Amino acid sequence: MTEKIPEAGSEEAIRAYKTILSQVIDQRPSGMRQRLADALGKHRSFVTQISSPAYSIPIPSKHLPSIFSVCHFSQAERDQFMAAYHQAHPGKVPAASGQRRTRHVSLIVPDFGDDRQNAALDRAINEFIQKITSIAGKGSG
Protein backbone atom coordinates (compact mmCIF):
# COMPACT_ATOMS: atom_id res chain seq x y z
CA MET A 1 0.00 0.00 0.00
CA THR A 2 1.60 3.26 -1.11
CA GLU A 3 -0.90 5.57 0.53
CA LYS A 4 0.54 9.03 1.15
CA ILE A 5 0.56 9.92 4.85
CA PRO A 6 -0.69 13.48 5.37
CA GLU A 7 1.58 15.96 7.12
CA ALA A 8 0.82 16.45 10.82
CA GLY A 9 -1.50 19.38 11.47
CA SER A 10 -2.29 19.85 7.79
CA GLU A 11 -5.77 20.34 6.42
CA GLU A 12 -5.31 17.02 4.62
CA ALA A 13 -4.63 15.25 7.94
CA ILE A 14 -7.73 16.83 9.50
CA ARG A 15 -9.76 15.89 6.44
CA ALA A 16 -8.62 12.26 6.86
CA TYR A 17 -10.20 11.76 10.30
CA LYS A 18 -13.25 13.82 9.43
CA THR A 19 -13.82 11.54 6.44
CA ILE A 20 -13.88 8.57 8.81
CA LEU A 21 -16.36 10.31 11.12
CA SER A 22 -18.55 11.30 8.19
CA GLN A 23 -18.61 7.70 6.91
CA VAL A 24 -19.51 6.38 10.38
CA ILE A 25 -22.36 8.89 10.72
CA ASP A 26 -23.64 8.07 7.23
CA GLN A 27 -23.80 4.37 8.13
CA ARG A 28 -25.95 5.04 11.20
CA PRO A 29 -29.72 5.61 11.34
CA SER A 30 -31.08 9.00 10.38
CA GLY A 31 -31.10 11.57 13.15
CA MET A 32 -27.53 10.77 14.22
CA ARG A 33 -26.28 14.31 13.60
CA GLN A 34 -29.07 15.72 15.77
CA ARG A 35 -28.37 13.21 18.56
CA LEU A 36 -24.70 14.13 18.39
CA ALA A 37 -25.54 17.85 18.52
CA ASP A 38 -27.74 17.23 21.56
CA ALA A 39 -25.03 15.21 23.31
CA LEU A 40 -22.42 17.90 22.67
CA GLY A 41 -24.78 20.71 23.65
CA LYS A 42 -24.26 22.30 20.23
CA HIS A 43 -26.28 23.14 17.15
CA ARG A 44 -26.47 20.80 14.16
CA SER A 45 -24.37 23.30 12.19
CA PHE A 46 -21.48 22.61 14.61
CA VAL A 47 -21.80 18.89 13.96
CA THR A 48 -21.81 19.57 10.22
CA GLN A 49 -18.60 21.61 10.56
CA ILE A 50 -16.78 18.99 12.64
CA SER A 51 -17.96 16.02 10.59
CA SER A 52 -17.59 17.36 7.07
CA PRO A 53 -14.19 16.98 5.39
CA ALA A 54 -15.06 20.13 3.42
CA TYR A 55 -14.43 22.21 6.56
CA SER A 56 -10.88 22.39 7.95
CA ILE A 57 -12.12 23.06 11.49
CA PRO A 58 -10.52 20.42 13.76
CA ILE A 59 -12.59 18.39 16.17
CA PRO A 60 -11.84 19.43 19.78
CA SER A 61 -10.42 16.43 21.64
CA LYS A 62 -12.85 16.99 24.52
CA HIS A 63 -15.69 15.91 22.21
CA LEU A 64 -14.17 12.59 21.14
CA PRO A 65 -15.58 10.41 23.97
CA SER A 66 -19.10 11.69 23.28
CA ILE A 67 -18.68 11.22 19.54
CA PHE A 68 -17.50 7.63 19.99
CA SER A 69 -20.35 6.84 22.35
CA VAL A 70 -23.22 8.52 20.52
CA CYS A 71 -22.13 7.30 17.08
CA HIS A 72 -21.45 3.78 18.41
CA PHE A 73 -17.98 3.50 16.87
CA SER A 74 -16.78 -0.08 16.58
CA GLN A 75 -13.31 -0.76 17.97
CA ALA A 76 -11.92 -0.91 14.42
CA GLU A 77 -13.55 2.42 13.50
CA ARG A 78 -12.25 4.00 16.71
CA ASP A 79 -8.72 2.70 16.07
CA GLN A 80 -8.77 3.98 12.49
CA PHE A 81 -10.14 7.36 13.58
CA MET A 82 -7.63 7.75 16.42
CA ALA A 83 -4.69 6.87 14.17
CA ALA A 84 -5.78 9.62 11.77
CA TYR A 85 -6.52 12.03 14.65
CA HIS A 86 -3.06 11.49 16.17
CA GLN A 87 -1.51 12.02 12.74
CA ALA A 88 -3.31 15.37 12.46
CA HIS A 89 -2.68 16.40 16.08
CA PRO A 90 0.49 14.71 17.38
CA GLY A 91 0.76 14.65 21.15
CA LYS A 92 -2.85 15.72 21.63
CA VAL A 93 -4.52 13.28 24.01
CA PRO A 94 -8.30 13.15 24.01
CA ALA A 95 -9.85 14.55 27.14
CA ALA A 96 -11.51 12.03 29.41
CA SER A 97 -9.98 9.07 27.63
CA GLY A 98 -11.65 6.98 30.33
CA GLN A 99 -14.69 6.64 28.05
CA ARG A 100 -17.76 7.97 29.78
CA ARG A 101 -20.84 6.31 28.36
CA THR A 102 -23.71 8.46 27.30
CA ARG A 103 -27.28 7.82 26.34
CA HIS A 104 -29.86 9.69 24.34
CA VAL A 105 -32.90 11.09 26.11
CA SER A 106 -35.87 12.58 24.28
CA LEU A 107 -38.11 15.20 25.83
CA ILE A 108 -41.46 16.50 24.73
CA VAL A 109 -41.51 20.25 25.28
CA PRO A 110 -43.93 22.95 24.21
CA ASP A 111 -43.47 24.57 20.82
CA PHE A 112 -43.57 28.29 21.48
CA GLY A 113 -44.26 29.04 17.84
CA ASP A 114 -41.12 31.17 17.73
CA ASP A 115 -37.74 29.84 16.56
CA ARG A 116 -35.80 32.07 18.96
CA GLN A 117 -37.81 31.00 22.00
CA ASN A 118 -37.60 27.33 20.99
CA ALA A 119 -33.81 27.62 20.54
CA ALA A 120 -33.50 29.39 23.91
CA LEU A 121 -35.41 26.57 25.61
CA ASP A 122 -33.19 23.95 23.89
CA ARG A 123 -30.04 25.78 25.04
CA ALA A 124 -31.35 26.10 28.59
CA ILE A 125 -32.11 22.38 28.77
CA ASN A 126 -28.68 21.45 27.37
CA GLU A 127 -26.90 23.84 29.76
CA PHE A 128 -28.86 22.42 32.69
CA ILE A 129 -27.92 18.85 31.77
CA GLN A 130 -24.26 19.80 31.32
CA LYS A 131 -24.19 21.50 34.73
CA ILE A 132 -25.87 18.57 36.48
CA THR A 133 -23.58 15.99 34.88
CA SER A 134 -20.56 18.16 35.67
CA ILE A 135 -21.56 18.29 39.33
CA ALA A 136 -22.24 14.55 39.40
CA GLY A 137 -18.87 13.87 37.74
CA LYS A 138 -17.02 15.81 40.45
CA GLY A 139 -18.59 13.74 43.19
CA SER A 140 -17.71 10.34 41.74
CA GLY A 141 -14.04 10.20 42.47
Side-chain angles (χ1 to χ4, degrees):
M1 178 160 58
T2 59
E3 193 173 311
K4 183 184 173 224
I5 297 173
E7 184 179 325
S10 70
E11 286 187 23
E12 187 179 340
I14 293 170
R15 201 173 7 261
Y17 70 76
K18 290 175 91 169
T19 298
I20 296 166
L21 174 59
S22 180
Q23 290 169 346
V24 167
I25 290 174
D26 290 344
Q27 294 170 0
R28 302 306 184 257
S30 68
M32 182 56 62
R33 282 180 174 79
Q34 184 61 55
R35 284 193 291 280
L36 188 52
D38 293 344
L40 298 175
K42 304 288 185 182
H43 292 282
R44 269 191 61 150
S45 61
F46 176 80
V47 172
T48 297
Q49 289 177 358
I50 66 167
S51 65
S52 173
Y55 295 97
S56 61
I57 298 158
I59 298 174
S61 62
K62 69 180 182 179
H63 294 315
L64 296 183
S66 293
I67 290 170
F68 293 149
S69 177
V70 171
C71 296
H72 304 289
F73 270 63
S74 69
Q75 191 60 51
E77 290 166 335
R78 184 184 312 238
D79 292 345
Q80 184 183 17
F81 179 91
M82 287 309 298
Y85 191 88
H86 286 304
Q87 178 64 36
H89 310 292
K92 187 102 174 176
V93 179
S97 47
Q99 299 293 324
R100 177 183 239 182
R101 291 185 54 197
T102 61
R103 59 192 179 94
H104 180 78
V105 175
S106 295
L107 300 173
I108 297 175
V109 296
D111 183 338
F112 296 125
D114 178 278
D115 289 343
R116 278 191 190 160
Q117 285 184 321
N118 287 341
L121 176 63
D122 295 351
R123 278 192 308 277
I125 291 169
N126 282 321
E127 289 170 9
F128 174 74
I129 291 168
Q130 287 177 344
K131 286 178 185 176
I132 293 298
T133 56
S134 170
I135 292 167
K138 291 176 184 171
S140 61

